[in-house]
Amino acid sequence: MFAKSGTTDKIKIFLAEDDALIRNSIQKSISWGEEGFEFVGSAADGELAYPLILETKPDILITDIKMPFVDGFELSQMVKRELPAVKILILTGYSDFDMTKAAIKTGASEYLLKPVPSSKLLKTLHSMAEQIRTEKENGSWCAGKTDSAAELESAYREMRLFSELISEGRSFSYLLELGKKAGVNLGAQNYKICLFNIMSAENKPEDVKLKSEAGKRLKNLENMMTGIHCFWRAEEGWAFLLMGGEEGAAKKLEEEFISKVQTIMSDYSTLRYFGAMGSRVCRLRELGISFAGAEKNFSRRFEEKRSTFEAADHFFDGGEAGELKTNSWNDIWNSRRVIEKFLRNGTKEEIPDFTEQYFRETADWNIESMLMRRYMIIDIYITVMSFEQRLHKDDGGQTDQTALQNAIYNVRTREDVKIYMQAMLENALHFRDNTEGGRYSDIIGRAKELIAKNYKKKLSLEEVADQIGMSPSYLSFIFSKETGQTFVTYLTKVRVQKAKELLENSAMKTSEIGFEVGYKEPHYFCTVFKKSEGCSPKEYRFRCRRRL
């Protein structure tokens, strides 16, 4: 079965998958045209797929590894020989490692581990599509440039090792041996998992490069610090394994690690990030417990106004605080606050993850009830509509009552409710980010007011964000977007301007002036001032007096 279209500007997708249920699910669960893709065909095995691929010439081939007649490995080889520029996305299981490794060596670009949620598949396809467009612009598409097979194989091996480490029933000796083969010494007094991911507020092409650069610097932490190992988990981000000594040393390692991560991410003001710790465990085979706690804490990024490690640090014990449950009418009512917080601070890129987390914590029996499905749809509608009306009092927003009525009567499955929710959230965030009338002006004004009042103190982005009531990374994003400069740059300009006024109109020493405007270290004050004004504070004062 395949379809052709005259569309030329969309990225063309072909699917080879022998499981009819999976094949139909992938084809129907994504609105291909709306996402910028053209689904040009599918087939149940490589033998049937090959001639259709040559005819439709897709940009991306999604293929299962294990298929009858011609498997994904052989299909990848055949397609690469005829269409060297095509990107290949492998769908695989852990047990298919050898075949996957062979496919990577023949030119597969990406792989996803089964089962694959449609949201994760879509994120991967968008990432591949961005690379394709970049290569076309640079003129390298026809050359069939591919990702490094060695890097992909290494990443796959890391994912396998991490999966084993957090699995139940593995012996200490078995895990030590696995680590040894991977070049990782897993012997330590205690262990802790930190999950970390980077999100792009606007998902711009340049952000893809920044995320890649930031990722490489994060990965390098394992070379800079003893007791840290980094596992890349594809679209799920990173998992850091912290291996410490006695309690004091372990805590110091964690603090140093967090500090270094935040220092790295401070260089990327357009990117959002979140890290969450699990509990500290004393046995390697209990690492799954720490991972489970980290996952629970990580989900809190949709509830907390902060978007850094501090938000999770209060929940190391993996307690019940903030756990999203919808097992009763009252709980569904309370869950509205979670959606509202996401509407205030979330990004379009985070919608699939947020929706997955929301429904992961929803009991299946609730969704099976037609009455409950309708209630959830209406509740989501009301929450979004109220949010949009608060944004723009003169305009009720862009919620569609006809679409609501259609959803009430046509939504029949859990997946249908999820798709409806994602569409509503996407429309709301689009409305939020494009609403005129100074949506951000009040926020930026409050931030500037706090800076004006507190620039003499040790003032941080986190402190200002906390007082305003939003995540630091989101405040950083909108501050840069609205003012054209980062929070730190603006704060520095305010301090330097105050210093210039004091240099011109007072007899205070330069060291005293530096202290007065928020710099405790005189040498650092001089460095910042010279970088801003092109001369030292003393030289600036001398020039001012000469003009008089």
Side-chain angles (χ1 to χ4, degrees):
M1 177 183 71
F2 82 98
K4 292 185 69 175
S5 168
T7 305
T8 57
D9 58 339
K10 294 185 176 181
I11 300 298
K12 297 193 291 183
I13 306 289
F14 192 97
L15 171 64
E17 167 62 63
D18 65 316
D19 189 313
L21 289 176
I22 296 177
R23 190 169 64 250
N24 291 333
S25 175
I26 290 176
Q27 185 172 348
K28 294 179 180 179
S29 64
I30 296 175
S31 301
W32 297 100
E34 295 177 7
E35 296 291 343
F37 298 104
E38 179 186 359
F39 191 89
V40 295
S42 65
D45 64 67
E47 185 176 351
L48 296 175
Y50 184 66
L52 298 179
I53 291 170
L54 295 185
E55 180 178 351
T56 58
K57 293 181 174 56
D59 299 298
I60 299 175
L61 165 62
I62 307 172
T63 179
D64 186 16
I65 277 288
K66 286 188 174 180
M67 295 186 294
F69 306 111
V70 174
D71 59 34
F73 167 58
E74 189 175 356
L75 177 63
S76 297
Q77 285 184 310
M78 295 163 56
V79 170
K80 273 294 184 180
R81 280 196 294 267
E82 298 298 322
L83 303 172
V86 71
K87 299 290 183 186
I88 298 176
L89 170 59
I90 298 291
L91 304 182
T92 182
Y94 283 115
S95 59
D96 305 327
F97 174 62
D98 291 337
M99 293 182 69
T100 304
K101 182 168 62 175
I104 289 171
K105 289 183 177 178
T106 63
S109 302
E110 296 282 355
Y111 58 86
L112 289 175
L113 302 176
K114 291 183 175 181
V116 183
S118 58
S119 58
K120 183 180 292 187
L121 174 62
L122 188 57
K123 288 175 70 175
T124 302
L125 290 175
H126 275 304
S127 177
M128 296 174 73
E130 188 58 48
Q131 183 179 358
I132 289 170
R133 293 188 179 97
T134 300
E135 290 178 4
K136 286 182 176 180
E137 290 176 2
N138 295 338
S140 60
W141 175 244
C142 296
K145 185 174 69 175
T146 61
D147 296 316
S148 167
E151 289 183 6
L152 284 170
E153 183 180 340
S154 174
Y156 187 90
R157 190 182 299 110
E158 287 275 296
M159 292 176 72
R160 283 192 76 207
L161 173 59
F162 184 73
S163 178
E164 290 291 298
L165 287 174
I166 62 176
S167 298
E168 294 183 6
R170 304 296 191 262
S171 69
F172 180 64
S173 59
Y174 171 75
L175 294 176
L176 281 181
E177 185 61 26
L178 276 184
K180 184 178 179 180
K181 289 180 179 179
V184 185
N185 181 6
L186 294 174
Q189 292 185 39
N190 54 70
Y191 307 88
K192 178 177 283 193
I193 291 291
C194 170
L195 299 181
F196 187 88
N197 208 350
I198 303 173
M199 291 75 71
S200 167
E202 291 191 329
N203 204 27
K204 294 180 179 179
E206 54 265 32
D207 286 347
V208 176
K209 295 180 180 179
L210 292 177
K211 286 168 69 174
S212 176
E213 179 185 315
K216 290 178 181 178
R217 292 177 64 185
L218 289 170
K219 174 67 175 174
N220 193 48
L221 286 177
E222 63 183 17
N223 299 320
M224 299 169 56
M225 301 178 63
T226 303
I228 300 290
H229 190 74
C230 176
F231 297 91
W232 168 237
R233 304 175 65 225
E235 294 297 333
E236 295 180 17
W238 292 264
F240 290 93
L241 173 60
L242 281 65
M243 299 172 283
E246 50 85 23
E247 185 175 354
K251 188 173 182 180
K252 184 177 180 180
L253 173 66
E254 293 161 17
E255 292 173 350
E256 182 184 358
F257 166 72
I258 291 173
S259 175
K260 287 186 180 298
V261 169
Q262 291 177 325
T263 298
I264 289 173
M265 295 310 302
S266 66
D267 292 335
Y268 305 95
S269 60
T270 61
L271 301 179
R272 299 188 66 194
Y273 69 94
F274 192 89
M277 296 281 195
S279 58
R280 190 181 302 134
V281 296
C282 298
R283 301 180 187 277
L284 185 58
R285 62 175 180 269
E286 295 176 344
L287 205 55
I289 298 174
S290 182
F291 174 72
E295 274 200 314
K296 180 181 292 185
N297 294 335
F298 196 78
S299 69
R300 290 189 64 86
R301 69 192 188 279
F302 300 124
E303 297 182 62
E304 295 296 323
K305 60 189 175 184
R306 302 174 73 87
S307 187
T308 58
F309 285 87
E310 290 90 345
D313 284 348
H314 300 298
F315 304 98
F316 278 157
D317 59 358
E320 297 299 317
E323 189 175 9
L324 176 61
K325 294 291 185 183
T326 51
N327 292 332
S328 70
W329 294 96
N330 186 55
D331 287 334
I332 286 187
W333 178 265
N334 291 333
S335 72
R336 182 179 296 180
R337 66 182 176 82
V338 179
I339 300 176
E340 289 176 341
K341 286 185 178 181
F342 179 76
L343 290 172
R344 288 197 300 269
N345 294 330
T347 66
K348 289 184 179 180
E349 186 183 24
E350 293 177 300
I351 289 176
D353 286 342
F354 172 74
T355 310
E356 288 289 341
Q357 176 64 25
Y358 186 92
F359 282 89
R360 188 182 302 127
E361 301 293 348
T362 304
D364 289 338
W365 66 267
N366 279 342
I367 307 299
E368 293 301 321
S369 164
M370 178 185 68
L371 184 61
M372 186 61 71
R373 288 198 300 271
R374 289 181 176 179
Y375 179 88
M376 292 184 69
I377 288 171
I378 293 172
D379 193 61
I380 292 167
Y381 174 85
I382 291 173
T383 304
V384 170
M385 182 179 66
S386 299
F387 174 75
E388 292 180 353
Q389 287 179 335
R390 287 197 301 272
L391 283 182
H392 208 304
K393 295 180 180 179
D394 298 329
D395 186 349
Q398 56 183 25
T399 50
D400 187 344
Q401 293 187 19
T402 302
L404 170 64
Q405 293 172 355
N406 291 335
I408 289 174
Y409 292 104
N410 296 325
V411 168
R412 301 182 182 278
T413 66
R414 181 190 188 92
E415 190 65 27
D416 289 341
V417 180
K418 189 185 298 184
I419 292 172
Y420 173 80
M421 183 177 187
Q422 288 181 340
M424 290 294 291
L425 292 176
E426 184 170 343
N427 288 337
L429 295 195
H430 178 79
F431 180 73
R432 180 198 71 186
D433 294 339
N434 290 278
T435 296
E436 297 180 352
R439 159 174 158 71
Y440 297 128
S441 60
D442 290 343
I443 296 174
I444 300 303
R446 288 175 62 193
K448 288 182 176 181
E449 183 179 344
L450 286 168
I451 291 173
K453 290 181 178 179
N454 300 285
Y455 69 89
K456 297 181 181 181
K457 305 176 183 177
K458 184 180 180 181
L459 190 63
S460 67
L461 172 67
E462 286 75 15
E463 183 180 349
V464 173
D466 188 43
Q467 294 191 49
I468 289 176
M470 66 168 45
S471 69
S473 57
Y474 194 62
L475 174 60
S476 175
F477 163 67
I478 64 173
F479 196 96
S480 298
K481 180 179 180 181
E482 295 299 306
T483 67
Q485 54 192 319
T486 67
F487 173 87
V488 173
T489 300
Y490 180 83
L491 174 60
T492 301
K493 286 187 176 181
V494 169
R495 286 173 167 168
V496 169
Q497 180 59 38
K498 296 296 182 182
K500 288 165 63 177
E501 293 173 6
L502 291 173
L503 287 168
E504 294 174 14
N505 304 310
S506 77
M508 294 172 64
K509 296 179 180 179
T510 55
S511 59
E512 294 173 339
I513 291 175
F515 189 87
E516 177 68 17
V517 299
Y519 296 103
K520 310 308 178 188
E521 173 56 50
H523 178 72
Y524 183 62
F525 165 62
C526 291
T527 301
V528 171
F529 190 95
K530 188 170 184 178
K531 184 177 181 180
S532 172
E533 301 302 313
C535 63
S536 70
K538 289 183 178 180
E539 291 172 335
Y540 181 84
R541 171 174 275 172
F542 179 74
R543 292 175 184 176
C544 290
R545 289 177 176 175
R546 285 191 62 183
R547 286 198 297 268
L548 295 176

